[in-house]
Amino acid sequence: MNAPLCKFEPEVMTALRSGRLSRGLEAHVTGCAECSEIMLVAQFLARDADSMNEISIPNADLVWRRALARSRAEAAARAARPIQWVIFASIAAVITAAFWLILGSPAWLGWLAPLCASSLHVVRGMWVAVSLVAGAVTILTALFGAVYILRVDRVLVAFAKT
Amino acid sequence: MPGQVQIRGALELERCLGEVREQPLRMNEIAFRAFYERTARPLFNYLLRVSRQRDIAEDVLQESYCRLLSAKLPEMDEAQTRSYLFKIATNLLRDRWRRNQEAAPETVDSPGAMVNHADQAEMRQAFERLKLRERELLWLAYVEGASHNEIADRTGLKPASVRLLLYRARRRLAGLLRGESREKPKVDR
């Protein structure tokens, strides 16, 4: 469907914006369905827009402060990003080290063997189990402690240099 | 003790955030105020008439200026900046509308919108019966005086589509203003 356009439409629009409609154009608008429709719609909308001028709008200060606050928050987030990455890398390193100590290299538990050599199998088994559990608990406690301390102090570290 | 540490941390955070240098904004405060004075009223009127809800209009207005201020764009003159501002506002409004698609349309409750004579109020109701896109196009064309290309830039439509959609919207509104249709208000989209 093509929109039929009157060749005078641009002139009518210009005249409406300037508020001056020449006699010739006025005569044309009266006889042209397209242009009279434009006049009807444009005049209604112009009146409507005028009627809205009493409505209060948000203060410029409010908008400026909001923009500033957002800008600061974005800058803070940007500054804290490298610290976040260091924290994640530290946690990953601690977890990897814990797995390596417990599973990858059990030779360090060798010193337990002489202690357990003369004991019964049951007692020796308990010793090893208790040692492993104690080691794992110690490492996990250290891990959670480190995370807690980093969580509290990371902001101080992040901004100490700004 | 941990509580004290947390309080100390929070206070330090507050102090540090105040000291963080914000990202440079697009214009300084004086230039912004002048620009706001010139553009806020027409933008607000556009948003209010298109959204039909004052709280949305105010929120989108503020958000549009915030985004404009923090946008990393090449140098633009006032007309281009104004056009870009309307583009941001139009996109924000559309996003908002999509999120609240199921919400029923509301009438404007602002005091200034209450005109004295009943005719104008009735005619405004006719405008509010139009679809969101139709209201956008008509307002931009006949109140803002934007060309088809400018409207296309602000709404993301093709200029040829703008011409056709604007024609249809104008026909529809003219029909409603003449009282040709007394259909019930439709929910947008």
Side-chain angles (χ1 to χ4, degrees):
Chain A
M1 180 181 156
N2 288 323
L5 278 178
C6 173
K7 63 177 181 178
F8 288 104
E9 186 179 330
E11 281 182 53
V12 172
M13 287 301 299
T14 310
L16 280 169
R17 264 175 239 139
S18 66
R20 288 192 301 273
L21 199 66
S22 65
R23 284 199 176 187
L25 202 57
E26 200 175 343
H28 166 76
V29 167
T30 312
C32 174
E34 280 303 308
C35 291
S36 60
E37 199 173 86
I38 291 169
M39 284 287 284
L40 174 70
V41 168
Q43 284 177 341
F44 154 69
L45 289 172
R47 273 200 308 274
D48 194 32
D50 286 343
S51 78
M52 296 169 78
N53 287 337
E54 295 162 19
I55 305 172
S56 62
I57 60 171
N59 191 282
D61 276 339
L62 182 72
V63 181
W64 178 254
R65 278 201 301 271
R66 185 169 161 175
L68 272 185
R70 175 171 302 183
S71 171
R72 281 181 185 150
E74 283 170 4
R78 252 196 328 278
R81 212 168 292 145
I83 306 298
Q84 290 279 349
W85 283 109
V86 169
I87 290 168
F88 292 143
S90 306
I91 291 168
V94 168
I95 291 170
T96 309
F99 273 104
W100 179 76
L101 283 172
I102 294 168
L103 303 173
S105 180
W108 64 278
L109 292 170
W111 63 275
L112 285 171
L115 288 174
C116 302
S118 58
S119 304
L120 292 171
H121 284 292
V122 177
V123 174
R124 188 170 61 204
M126 280 179 64
W127 260 108
V128 173
V130 168
S131 300
L132 283 173
V133 170
V137 168
T138 306
I139 289 168
L140 282 174
T141 309
L143 174 67
F144 286 124
V147 170
Y148 176 75
I149 291 165
L150 282 171
R151 212 175 126 262
V152 171
D153 285 348
R154 67 183 176 182
V155 175
L156 306 182
V157 174
F159 296 112
K161 294 173 185 173
T162 60
Chain B
M1 278 300 168
Q4 283 182 342
V5 171
Q6 281 183 335
I7 290 167
R8 185 168 59 85
L11 290 172
E12 193 69 11
L13 170 65
E14 189 75 24
R15 186 183 67 77
C16 290
L17 279 176
E19 288 174 6
V20 170
R21 188 178 298 165
E22 65 269 13
Q23 185 187 347
L25 297 175
R26 193 166 173 76
M27 51 183 93
N28 64 34
E29 191 173 352
I30 295 166
F32 170 74
R33 281 174 189 280
F35 180 71
Y36 189 86
E37 283 299 313
R38 289 191 295 272
T39 54
R41 167 59 62 189
L43 181 63
F44 180 77
N45 287 355
Y46 166 67
L47 289 170
L48 184 57
R49 269 300 167 261
V50 175
S51 72
R52 301 178 296 197
Q53 293 176 58
R54 184 171 180 158
D55 56 340
I56 290 181
E58 287 183 355
D59 198 41
V60 171
L61 177 95
Q62 293 182 40
E63 183 64 24
S64 303
Y65 281 102
C66 286
R67 291 200 183 189
L68 176 75
L69 284 170
S70 58
K72 292 183 178 71
L73 296 164
E75 280 298 311
M76 293 192 292
D77 62 25
E78 169 118 5
Q80 288 171 319
T81 310
R82 184 187 166 110
S83 182
Y84 187 73
L85 179 70
F86 270 79
K87 188 176 182 176
I88 297 171
T90 303
N91 288 337
L92 286 172
L93 205 54
R94 296 215 132 252
D95 290 345
R96 185 72 71 99
W97 211 257
R98 277 190 208 106
R99 284 204 299 272
N100 303 330
Q101 218 170 358
E102 69 282 1
E106 294 176 24
T107 51
V108 179
D109 57 356
S110 47
M114 302 293 287
V115 289
N116 295 328
H117 42 94
D119 282 355
Q120 183 72 8
E122 200 171 308
M123 289 167 101
R124 192 177 341 101
Q125 281 176 4
F127 184 68
E128 289 173 2
R129 284 182 200 166
L130 301 177
K131 292 178 183 169
L132 178 73
R133 180 70 86 192
E134 293 173 330
R135 295 198 298 271
E136 281 173 3
L137 294 174
L138 288 168
W139 197 271
L140 290 173
Y142 297 111
V143 178
E144 286 299 306
S147 68
H148 290 178
N149 284 337
E150 286 169 336
I151 295 172
D153 185 47
R154 293 179 194 186
T155 57
L157 294 167
K158 291 176 183 168
S161 304
V162 169
R163 181 167 164 262
L164 182 60
L165 291 171
L166 186 59
Y167 168 74
R168 285 180 183 162
R170 196 179 66 215
R171 299 266 3 216
R172 186 145 180 252
L173 179 60
L176 288 167
L177 291 174
R178 291 188 192 116
E180 288 171 8
S181 171
R182 291 289 172 194
E183 71 216 56
K184 286 185 176 179
K186 288 177 187 172
V187 177
D188 279 281
R189 299 179 64 83

